[in-house]
Amino acid sequence: MKNKLEDLALLGGSPAFQEKLHVGYPNIGDRSYLMERMNDILDKNWLSNNGPYVQELERKIAALVGVKHCITMCNGTVALEIAIRAAELTGEVIVPSMTFIATAHALQWQEITPIFCDIDPKTHNIKPEKVEELITPRTTGIIGVHLWGRPCDVEGLSEISRRHNLKLIFDAAHAFHCTYNGRMVGSFGSAEVFSFHATKFFNTFEGGAVVTNDDDLASRVRLMKNFGFSGYDNVIYIGTNGKMNEVSAAMGLTSLESMEKFVDRNLQNYRDYQRGFSDIPGIYLLSYNEQEKCNYQYIVLEVDEEVTHINRDDLVKVLIKENIMARRYFYPGCHRMEPYRSYFPNAGLLLPETEKLVGRVLCLPTGNAVGSDAVREICQVIRLVVVNARRVREELKRYKEKIN
Ligand code: T4K
């Protein structure tokens, strides 16, 4: 454990971790079950196109979430694109800017304009009152994002969408196996979309799903993910290729079997981080409501530079030197990335809370590969940096001059 400043890699000490410790390091279940399923796939010669493992995974996810339909996809982004198209969104759709770029791109890809909305700084989620201010005659829908797996204000958004006759979809990429008021995320709005990417706590290598209770929407989504085919030789709709393959589904079934273990590990890590940061001034760990189900996949810190005297970006630089590969999700905000920053150069004026938050937030490693000792070491590095902020800043300045 590092105890003095000279132990920091920046000042010539060795890195806290020999191997890089990543945010998003994949959780892998029992590989013997995965291998059994892989052999079975090869034996059956059925590799994709609604195979038996995909069907089993869809049944299991629908039952877990408590919805009528789960339609798996090749990834979360295509799942979002298809959900948006199946819900017949057009014109303008209101979304938070504090999200992964895929939320905005899934709209723009279909020439629908994402209108960026500000967030509640306490929850980091889209703020319903601000949504209402952005509605125009061209608005057809709202996409709420359950950022970090903490559900957004579903009731507030549902009420606005009802009153203005707008469609409501949720980007639930982070929120598989999470609840809102005791009910599983996945059953709200017209449809919700999960990502099962390698970096998610539950993964299918790449993958995603649209879940919904709407029969018509579900059948459109099913058609669209398979080129619009309705039986052999009969295309009745415009579609694309959004299908999940059998290997991904086998990984999904294997991940499902270990899911509770993944959550337990994440929860333990979250509690260890809570303890580790409880006495570091200016470092705030995002909290989860332990009354709700949650996957605890994101360990999110806010750095208050006025208290710590070191800013988020410099802290990330020090962590990376220690092989702690912290990430600045979702800096700089979708509105400050192309093509949106060219389309709406002044969008930031309406997004003061987002602009503030994207400069303060960082994510730390968690998951199966991270244990209590690693969490203690990470907290200790951050404590050393904050306690010695002035000297660390000078060292960083020298370091930056050297490498430039
Ligand atoms: N909506 C939201 C709110 C989302 O957050 C996302 C995806 C989507 C929609 C779209 O869903 P997908 O189409 O992706 O299913 C990563 C993920 O690629 C992305 O899925 C995720 N959100 C986003 C938050 O994180 P990057 O650009 O940060 O990926 P990358 O390559 O830098 O990897 C992240 C970290 O994970 C690295 O530190 C390394 C580690 N890693 C990654 C992979 C792939 C591993 O250790 N092993 C691995 O196999 O986007």
Side-chain angles (χ1 to χ4, degrees):
M1 184 88 82
K2 297 189 174 232
N3 286 315
K4 47 185 199 311
L5 201 58
E6 281 62 33
D7 294 337
L8 289 181
L10 182 71
L11 278 92
S14 51
F17 297 93
Q18 285 194 328
E19 308 255 324
K20 290 187 163 85
L21 207 57
H22 286 288
V23 171
Y25 195 84
N27 286 335
I28 295 170
D30 187 328
R31 69 174 69 193
S32 65
Y33 292 145
L34 176 64
M35 294 309 168
E36 250 173 58
R37 288 179 169 122
M38 300 272 262
N39 278 325
D40 188 47
I41 290 167
L42 298 177
D43 290 343
K44 284 191 176 121
N45 278 306
W46 197 274
L47 309 186
S48 188
N49 291 19
N50 203 27
Y53 283 112
V54 159
Q55 291 180 35
E56 185 183 343
L57 184 64
E58 290 186 345
R59 275 196 307 276
K60 289 194 166 153
I61 291 175
L64 189 85
V65 172
V67 287
K68 280 161 83 178
H69 308 279
C70 167
I71 304 115
T72 55
M73 299 276 174
C74 53
N75 60 55
T77 305
V78 170
L80 262 175
E81 286 167 7
I82 290 180
I84 286 164
R85 196 163 187 125
E88 295 169 335
L89 298 183
T90 56
E92 294 175 357
V93 171
I94 299 168
V95 290
S97 173
M98 179 67 186
T99 179
F100 190 56
I101 196 68
T103 319
H105 279 354
L107 291 163
Q108 191 65 47
W109 191 253
Q110 314 188 61
E111 298 186 357
I112 300 167
T113 308
I115 301 294
F116 295 117
C117 181
D118 213 2
I119 47 161
D120 178 337
K122 285 199 213 80
T123 65
H124 299 189
N125 277 324
I126 192 166
K127 195 166 183 182
E129 295 89 316
K130 295 283 166 194
V131 169
E132 195 138 31
E133 291 168 14
L134 299 172
I135 295 173
T136 72
R138 296 193 69 227
T139 311
T140 59
I142 304 166
I143 300 184
V145 179
H146 305 305
L147 204 74
W148 319 127
R150 300 194 314 173
C152 55
D153 182 351
V154 172
E155 275 164 39
L157 294 175
S158 303
E159 198 271 321
I160 290 174
S161 68
R162 256 194 312 273
R163 204 150 26 84
H164 292 272
N165 197 21
L166 301 174
K167 295 271 170 49
L168 178 60
I169 290 178
F170 290 100
D171 177 340
H174 299 179
F176 186 55
H177 205 45
C178 299
T179 58
Y180 171 80
N181 291 343
R183 195 168 127 196
M184 276 292 189
V185 166
S187 55
F188 300 107
S190 299
E192 301 208 51
V193 174
F194 295 125
S195 163
F196 304 142
H197 182 260
T199 54
K200 300 296 182 290
F201 97 106
F202 166 90
N203 84 82
T204 60
F205 298 117
E206 286 269 4
V210 177
V211 284
T212 179
N213 283 315
D214 181 329
D215 298 339
D216 292 339
L217 186 85
S219 63
R220 281 199 298 278
V221 169
R222 275 205 187 282
L223 282 171
M224 284 180 182
K225 82 154 186 183
N226 187 29
F227 313 99
F229 271 111
S230 166
Y232 285 138
D233 312 322
N234 186 27
V235 171
I236 60 166
Y237 224 91
I238 182 166
T240 182
N241 183 355
K243 289 169 277 131
M244 178 180 275
N245 67 62
E246 286 289 275
V247 172
S248 286
M251 181 67 168
L253 289 165
T254 311
S255 297
L256 269 187
E257 285 153 4
S258 295
M259 197 163 67
E260 294 303 335
K261 260 197 269 167
F262 300 155
V263 174
D264 288 349
R265 182 69 258 163
N266 277 355
L267 175 58
Q268 186 57 51
N269 288 344
Y270 164 68
R271 290 193 176 138
D272 288 339
Y273 274 119
Q274 255 182 339
R275 256 190 301 278
F277 292 130
S278 58
D279 61 348
I280 309 182
I283 297 286
Y284 308 110
L285 177 70
L286 183 100
S287 67
Y288 291 96
N289 177 357
E290 293 200 31
Q291 307 309 311
E292 299 279 4
K293 249 187 204 302
C294 184
N295 58 44
Y296 300 94
Q297 176 65 359
Y298 290 93
I299 297 293
V300 185
L301 283 193
E302 267 184 66
V303 180
D304 182 349
E305 191 186 350
E306 282 187 13
V307 181
T308 57
H309 303 292
I310 184 150
N311 63 37
R312 185 273 314 268
D313 292 352
D314 282 347
L315 179 57
V316 167
K317 282 192 192 103
V318 178
L319 291 173
I320 287 174
K321 292 254 336 154
E322 299 291 347
N323 279 340
I324 303 162
M325 309 307 284
R327 293 296 299 263
R328 299 183 299 175
Y329 290 139
F330 287 102
Y331 175 81
C334 296
H335 68 288
R336 291 220 249 147
M337 301 212 206
E338 291 298 352
Y340 314 107
R341 69 172 168 225
S342 297
Y343 291 166
F344 319 112
N346 298 321
L349 294 174
L350 291 177
L351 303 166
E353 300 297 350
T354 305
E355 295 248 301
K356 235 184 280 166
L357 192 71
V358 291
R360 290 163 58 101
V361 172
L362 65 92
C363 290
L364 291 172
T366 187
N368 246 12
V370 179
S372 296
D373 288 348
V375 172
R376 265 195 296 278
E377 181 75 44
I378 294 169
C379 294
Q380 180 62 5
V381 168
I382 293 176
R383 181 175 295 108
L384 267 179
V385 172
V386 172
V387 169
N388 298 285
R390 200 155 292 136
R391 185 139 169 239
V392 171
R393 249 190 350 224
E394 282 160 18
E395 290 297 337
L396 267 169
K397 207 168 137 214
R398 269 195 283 279
Y399 170 69
K400 282 186 224 162
E401 280 162 7
K402 205 164 79 191
I403 58 172
N404 284 334

